[in-house]
Amino acid sequence: MKILVPVKRVPDPATTIRVAPDGAGIATDNVKWVINPFDEIAIEEALRIKEKQGQGEVVLIAVGQQSWQEQLRTGLAMGADRAILVRSDAPLDPLAIARVIAKVAENEKPELIIIGKQAIDDDSNQVGQMIAEMLGWPQATFASKIELNGDRCSVVREVDGGLATVAFPLPAVVTTDLRLNEPRYASLPGIMKARKKPLNEIAVDSLGVDLTPKLKIKVLKTPEKRQAGRKLGSVQELVAALHNEAKVI
Amino acid sequence: MIGSSRDVDFFNLDELLRPEEKMARDAVRAFVSREVLPQIEQHFAHETFDRGLVAQMADLGIFGANLHGYGCAGMNNIAYGLIMQELEAADSGLRSFASVQSALAMYAIYSSGSEEQKQRYLPEMARGKLIGCFGLTEPDHGSDPGGMETRARRDGRGWVLNGVKRWITNGSIADLAIVWAKVEEGVTGFIVERGTPGFATSDIHGKFSMRASITSELVFEDVRVDEAHHLPNARGLRAPLSCLTQARYGIAWGAIGAARTCYLCALDYVKSRKQFSRPLAGYQMVQRKLVNMLTEITKAQMICLRLGQLKDAGTMRPEQVSFAKRNNVNAALKIARTARDMLGANGIVNEYPIIRHMLNLETVNTYEGTFDVQTLILGRDITGENAFD
């Protein structure tokens, strides 16, 4: 089975994020970049499916700058077979990203697209759903278990208050939740092998999809620093403070 | 878990690393933070080595990672150094295990062994199926290995070994020991497999340092080995000393990891702990300590990066490795002691990793050539005068 896994480059969750001086983005100096953790889970799941079936191909795709090659190489080191970098030096909206991936999927014809439910930088949670819509494929979001049976797929989804199981035919789009699996480490021999695996670059303009931005970040702000609390001597004082100062009662 | 995935990189040295070097570092860092850090204090407290980690490190490809062929990963020396750094960010004992397996035992066979020996042992050692140890130091001969008393005499087509080796990391869990002994022509090396009659090991207890690592004594009483267990290309003391150069290289990098953990832990602590009117971090004496720590870590990183470039180019001199080992380990030890001081009473409990690193680094400062021995090596190099004797 051919599985396509879209991958996003995001700041390491352990990095301290600072807003850039112009307020339009984050300061990127001294930021360590990693594969979006939900996409890493998607790569792991694709590799497990391939290993279980004993055949198949895991293809990674990223839409971004030259530097995103690093994350694709890490995915190849984990065990993916090849990677596609759609070069776009300008940042794109989730809608444009979905269009690009859907377009590449039309050519690649994977039977399954597995993608993180959201990226930990902007938390949009849109791309997987939009790809499915554009391709006219079934979708299952927030997967905590994926089972394949011939050309059918069954997914356990984490929903409010419990688990929902959905079944649908392939091809399809599945988005991963945190508890789907624990991704493997890229092994050192795997890292050496990844250097020789194919990583093809496509210019985003060559795909002929509409990339017009629909979103504009007006301003980014650091959350206000929390003030230390105050200890009050009695319930009366507390009630008075809530009434007179906080004005909540 | 402090410092598990954070870095100290004041001069953006990351930009000088190749993608595969960063990937190797990140993979080992993730492994350490998931598999090692949650358990390490318990192993240190109970003086146990977590043998389960051997298979996991082998799966990652850590053993002999900078050797080529024989099932080894074939990475460059900067990647290898970064791997050692990440292991020692968790615990010097863990890095010691990897160092002994890779830079001492595997490298001895790789550099001095016959083709048959390399084929027979190296792939299994890379897979972690065979554990090696390295017997050079003796109870009465540490800094002067040339004075060793272990002897090997020819007996028909084989050899008979007699002697005692001490302070041997991994000794009692090793499947094979690389043993250095004097013969008529000088010093040479042997591969002694566990279970060979006359070969016994016992562990050294009561250590206040490297408690999550095994340290043993090896005893050889009329141990008979055949020529197939003799390292044919090990002629003279240069053979084991070349292994020590490899190990010191890894130690120089590893010390940065231990120092980084202590520095980040102290930094977090002084930012959150308030005494008198403000966080400790707001006091000049505390800031000065932090700045000194950061400066020493950064210098150590730069030394190692250049050392790795030289090693990859094949132009590194052993004296440069002595320089790096001497400076970086001593700096790490001082950083650990300072961090311990900055945490006050909290610095002496294992709720924080500092005291464990501090105690471990006492060993690292001593083994594979003490601080003073490295000083003499460098002194001889710059003056032409040998001050060893």
Side-chain angles (χ1 to χ4, degrees):
Chain A
M1 172 181 291
K2 185 176 188 175
I3 306 172
L4 186 67
V5 183
V7 169
K8 187 174 184 184
R9 171 179 165 103
V10 298
D12 187 320
T15 302
T16 311
I17 299 295
R18 287 172 294 118
V19 175
D22 65 1
I26 62 163
T28 53
D29 55 306
N30 234 336
V31 166
K32 193 169 131 48
W33 300 92
V34 297
I35 299 177
N36 172 39
F38 289 109
D39 295 340
E40 208 176 5
I41 292 170
I43 298 173
E44 175 65 32
E45 195 63 20
L47 293 173
R48 287 188 191 182
I49 291 169
K50 181 187 162 183
E51 284 159 4
K52 198 170 170 195
Q53 298 190 338
Q55 57 175 346
E57 190 183 26
V58 176
V59 183
L60 308 179
I61 176 169
V63 188
Q65 301 161 28
Q66 178 86 35
S67 53
W68 290 41
Q69 279 200 7
E70 270 185 44
Q71 281 61 46
L72 290 173
R73 286 278 174 219
T74 304
L76 292 172
M78 286 172 73
D81 298 289
R82 62 187 172 89
I84 302 164
L85 174 62
V86 183
R87 269 295 290 279
S88 167
D89 290 338
L92 298 177
D93 286 355
L95 178 61
I97 300 273
R99 282 188 181 129
V100 168
I101 293 170
K103 183 77 183 175
V104 173
E106 280 171 15
N107 300 329
E108 287 283 337
K109 296 185 176 52
E111 287 149 286
L112 190 59
I113 296 177
I114 311 181
I115 179 172
K117 68 170 181 178
Q118 65 199 67
I120 60 154
D121 51 358
D122 57 19
D123 283 336
S124 292
N125 192 338
Q126 295 176 2
V127 173
Q129 293 89 327
M130 291 196 286
I131 295 172
E133 175 63 24
M134 287 165 189
L135 293 171
W137 293 2
Q139 59 172 294
T141 51
F142 315 146
S144 64
K145 192 173 179 194
I146 301 177
E147 268 183 280
L148 289 161
N149 192 356
D151 59 357
R152 288 192 65 80
C153 183
S154 151
V155 167
V156 178
R157 304 178 57 230
E158 296 191 355
V159 293
D160 287 345
L163 299 171
T165 304
V166 292
F168 45 87
L170 298 177
V173 177
V174 177
T175 78
T176 62
D177 215 324
L178 199 60
R179 282 157 289 274
L180 180 59
N181 60 49
E182 195 167 272
R184 69 195 63 191
Y185 316 108
S187 77
L188 307 178
I191 291 167
M192 298 305 280
K193 269 189 216 136
R195 296 197 303 182
K196 298 195 185 80
K197 287 182 179 174
L199 195 165
N200 296 325
E201 259 190 53
I202 308 174
V204 71
D205 299 333
S206 72
L207 293 172
V209 298
D210 180 9
L211 305 171
T212 321
K214 305 264 195 246
L215 293 174
K216 188 168 183 298
I217 294 177
K218 295 176 91 170
V219 68
L220 279 182
K221 272 198 263 181
T222 316
E224 301 235 337
K225 222 174 174 183
R226 276 186 66 182
Q227 298 292 320
R230 182 152 54 98
K231 271 189 187 163
L232 299 172
S234 68
V235 174
Q236 282 78 6
E237 279 180 58
L238 174 64
V239 171
L242 289 174
H243 183 69
N244 300 328
E245 293 176 42
K247 297 189 197 318
V248 290
I249 54 172
Chain B
M1 297 295 282
I2 287 167
S4 60
S5 63
R6 290 158 63 200
D7 217 336
V8 178
D9 188 11
F10 199 73
F11 271 80
N12 296 350
L13 297 175
D14 238 45
E15 290 175 12
L16 302 177
L17 299 178
R18 292 199 181 106
E20 66 264 26
E21 295 162 355
K22 283 193 260 192
M23 259 189 258
R25 178 195 62 193
D26 294 349
V28 176
R29 188 178 289 180
F31 158 74
V32 157
S33 108
R34 205 194 287 172
E35 312 289 345
V36 182
L37 293 183
Q39 315 288 341
I40 187 65
E41 294 298 350
Q42 284 310 306
H43 285 288
F44 191 88
H46 298 114
E47 216 178 27
T48 49
F49 170 69
D50 185 357
R51 288 196 68 168
L53 293 175
V54 177
Q56 291 178 299
M57 286 196 279
D59 283 346
L60 261 173
I62 286 176
F63 303 137
N66 60 344
L67 305 180
H68 295 265
Y70 308 102
C72 300
M75 305 213 80
N76 71 16
N77 287 292
I78 290 176
Y80 176 80
L82 290 165
I83 293 165
M84 296 297 127
Q85 172 187 292
E86 296 309 317
L87 292 176
E88 194 148 0
D91 191 78
S92 300
L94 186 68
R95 201 267 308 132
S96 296
F97 183 95
S99 279
V100 168
Q101 178 80 349
S102 307
L104 295 179
M106 291 176 77
Y107 185 81
I109 295 171
Y110 187 79
S111 60
S112 298
S114 66
E115 189 54 38
E116 293 75 36
Q117 289 167 341
K118 292 182 203 178
Q119 300 278 2
R120 180 172 170 189
Y121 295 108
L122 292 180
E124 292 289 284
M125 294 175 84
R127 275 199 288 275
K129 300 289 182 200
L130 289 179
I131 296 174
C133 69
F134 186 87
L136 176 66
T137 300
E138 300 186 352
D140 296 326
H141 302 279
S143 294
D144 69 330
M148 71 173 68
E149 291 166 43
T150 300
R151 293 283 185 278
R153 65 178 162 81
R154 276 184 198 279
D155 186 69
R157 274 178 296 180
W159 302 81
V160 177
L161 267 70
N162 277 289
V164 178
K165 299 291 180 182
R166 193 169 164 84
W167 309 113
I168 309 304
T169 300
N170 299 348
S172 66
I173 57 166
D175 300 289
L176 60 97
I178 304 296
V179 183
W180 302 96
K182 269 190 182 158
V183 295
E184 280 171 25
E185 301 85 351
V187 171
T188 190
F190 298 90
I191 304 167
V192 181
E193 294 183 23
R194 198 208 331 227
T196 308
F199 171 35
T201 64
S202 59
D203 285 342
I204 297 169
H205 293 291
K207 290 181 295 175
F208 280 73
S209 175
M210 294 287 191
R211 289 175 57 85
S213 162
I214 289 167
T215 313
S216 317
E217 183 166 86
L218 316 180
V219 179
F220 304 89
E221 259 186 61
D222 291 328
V223 174
R224 306 181 76 86
V225 293
D226 57 18
E227 184 57 31
H229 288 81
H230 174 223
L231 294 173
N233 302 317
R235 295 190 198 93
L237 206 54
R238 270 183 47 186
L241 293 186
S242 75
C243 298
L244 291 189
T245 299
Q246 304 301 313
R248 286 170 188 167
Y249 173 82
I251 291 168
W253 279 93
I256 299 171
R260 181 185 80 203
T261 300
C262 294
Y263 164 73
L264 288 174
C265 180
L267 179 61
D268 288 342
Y269 186 87
V270 297
K271 278 161 81 172
S272 66
R273 174 139 174 122
K274 270 192 187 153
Q275 292 291 287
F276 305 105
S277 59
R278 55 203 151 128
L280 287 176
Y283 292 93
Q284 290 182 348
M285 275 193 289
V286 171
Q287 291 192 356
R288 180 170 188 244
K289 285 175 184 150
L290 289 170
V291 171
N292 283 344
M293 289 159 116
L294 173 68
T295 306
E296 289 307 318
I297 289 171
T298 304
K299 281 150 72 177
Q301 289 170 332
M302 290 179 172
I303 291 169
C304 272
L305 201 51
R306 179 61 187 148
L307 190 69
Q309 290 170 348
L310 292 171
K311 193 169 192 310
D312 280 334
T315 54
M316 179 185 83
R317 300 167 57 228
E319 289 79 7
Q320 291 164 329
V321 184
S322 290
F323 180 104
K325 196 266 182 188
R326 176 183 184 274
N327 178 77
N328 292 11
V329 177
N330 203 246
L333 178 57
K334 285 179 181 161
I335 285 167
R337 287 172 180 164
T338 308
R340 211 298 304 148
D341 180 56
M342 290 164 77
L343 264 72
N346 283 313
I348 69 164
V349 289
N350 66 3
E351 199 179 319
Y352 298 91
I354 290 178
I355 187 115
R356 176 169 51 80
H357 278 292
M358 190 193 93
L359 294 169
N360 282 339
L361 286 165
E362 292 288 348
T363 297
V364 184
N365 202 43
T366 292
Y367 73 9
E368 316 294 335
T370 65
F371 179 85
D372 288 346
V373 161
Q374 311 300 346
T375 306
L376 294 180
I377 290 170
L378 291 165
R380 180 178 61 191
D381 191 54
I382 58 178
T383 65
E385 298 281 350
N386 183 358
F388 275 94
D389 244 333

